[in-house]
Structures are given as C-alpha cells and as structure tokens.
C-alpha cells in the first residue's frame, strides 16, 4: 500500500497493524510506472490542502485507478482553491458545520448493503459503528457526481437530516476511487475494531 502523508494522521501505522507493507510516497513516486505495483494508495487527511505536489500528479494517480488500482482519499477542508478531488466532480465547498456528524453514536443507515465496501472481506454491520470516539466525521462533500459515485452510508446528528456523502465510492475504469469524510484518523489510533474492519475493506476493493 502506498501512503501519501497529509496533516499528521497516523493511518500508515494502522495499515501496518493490519499487516500491509506500507510505502511512503513522495511526488516523484506519483508516476504510472512507480504506482503500478501497489494494491492501493491511501491519502492522509487534508492531503489536498497541505500538498502542492498533488495537482500536477493527479492525472497519473487517476490513471493508476483506471488501470485497476484503488485510491482512498480522506477528508479535506473547504479552501479557496482546491484541485479536483476525484476523477469525477466532487466538491466540499460551503460552510463546513452542516456537513459533519458530531455525535459519535449517530445512527447509521446502509444505503448500498451489498457493495463490496460493506461485504469484502468483512461483513460490516451496525455493531461496527459502536465505540467510535469524538465524532463520526467532518467536511463531507456538499455535492458530487451521483451518476459515478455510490453513496454507501447515511448518518445524521439528532434532529438533523441525514447526510449521505460521508463515504463515496466511484468505479473508474478497472479500479476504485474512494472519498471519505469519516473520522478514521480518530478511530484507528483509538483502536476501534469496526473502523479497522471498514478501512480494510476500502483497501481491499477490487482484490
């Protein structure tokens, strides 16, 4: 698994604890040739906000997906000028608070229960969302290409309407592109079993 560091999350260590061999990627690694041998590429939180090397290398990253790879992008903050967040239209523009779930015990509805994200290798159920800490997630996309991205979950804070963009998955060519605002960066260091099981499913897409 290739890992593109973002802003201080510890997903690389969590991946190693899951048994993956992790390679930290730099801008010179973002070529079709160097990405070809990776099963998946995981972006750290706020990578699009923090890294200046992503924009010129996005075509190679999306080509890697198209050839059969999996890319998992974790949450980013709304900012003045963001590069494309995926191979298809995806936006986190607007005020952030309405697009987050602050209740870590928020009920979860499975919108695509038979999607491989929820079945392979782990069958994800409501118990996997027990014991989460601090929040469910933040900075969920405010708009996305619904013809290409599948919304996997619906979540809502008390007395608020459900949000469906916390976990979006697009098939792009032979591979998968995942964008998620779920707070894996909090759950994985806290050792939340369900978060590990779901994260393993994301990395395993297409395998």
């Amino acid at each position: 698994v290739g890992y593109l560091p973002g802003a201080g999350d510890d997903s690389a260590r969590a991946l190693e604890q899951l048994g993956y061999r992790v390679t930290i990627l730099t801008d010179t690694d973002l070529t079709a040739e160097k990405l070809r041998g990776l099963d998946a590429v995981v972006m750290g939180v706020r990578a699009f906000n923090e890294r200046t090397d992503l924009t010129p290398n996005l075509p190679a990253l999306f080509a890697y997906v198209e050839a059969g790879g999996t890319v998992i992008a974790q949450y980013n903050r709304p900012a003045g000028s963001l590069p494309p967040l995926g191979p298809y239209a995806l936006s986190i523009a607007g005020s952030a608070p309405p697009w987050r779930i602050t209740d870590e015990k928020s009920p979860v509805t499975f919108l695509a229960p038979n999607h491989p994200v929820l079945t392979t290798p782990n069958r994800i159920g409501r118990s996997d969302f027990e014991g989460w800490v601090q929040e469910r997630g933040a900075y969920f996309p405010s708009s996305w290409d619904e013809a290409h991205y599948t919304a996997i979950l619906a979540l809502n804070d008390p007395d608020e309407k459900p949000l469906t963009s916390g976990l979006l998955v697009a098939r792009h060519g032979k591979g998968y592109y995942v964008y998620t605002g779920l707070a894996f960066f909090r759950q994985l260091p806290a050792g939340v079993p369900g978060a590990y099981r779901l994260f393993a499913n994301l990395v395993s897409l297409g395998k």
Side-chain angles (χ1 to χ4, degrees), residues 1-3 12 15-24 37-40:
V1 175
Y3 180 70
L15 288 164
E16 290 173 342
Q17 290 174 337
L18 282 167
Y20 294 105
R21 186 177 66 184
V22 178
T23 300
I24 303 299
L38 297 172
D39 291 315

Side-chain angles (χ1 to χ4, degrees), residues 102-103 106-107 156-161:
T102 59
D103 183 355
S106 165
N156 63 279
D157 275 332
D159 301 320
E160 294 187 3
K161 68 178 183 179

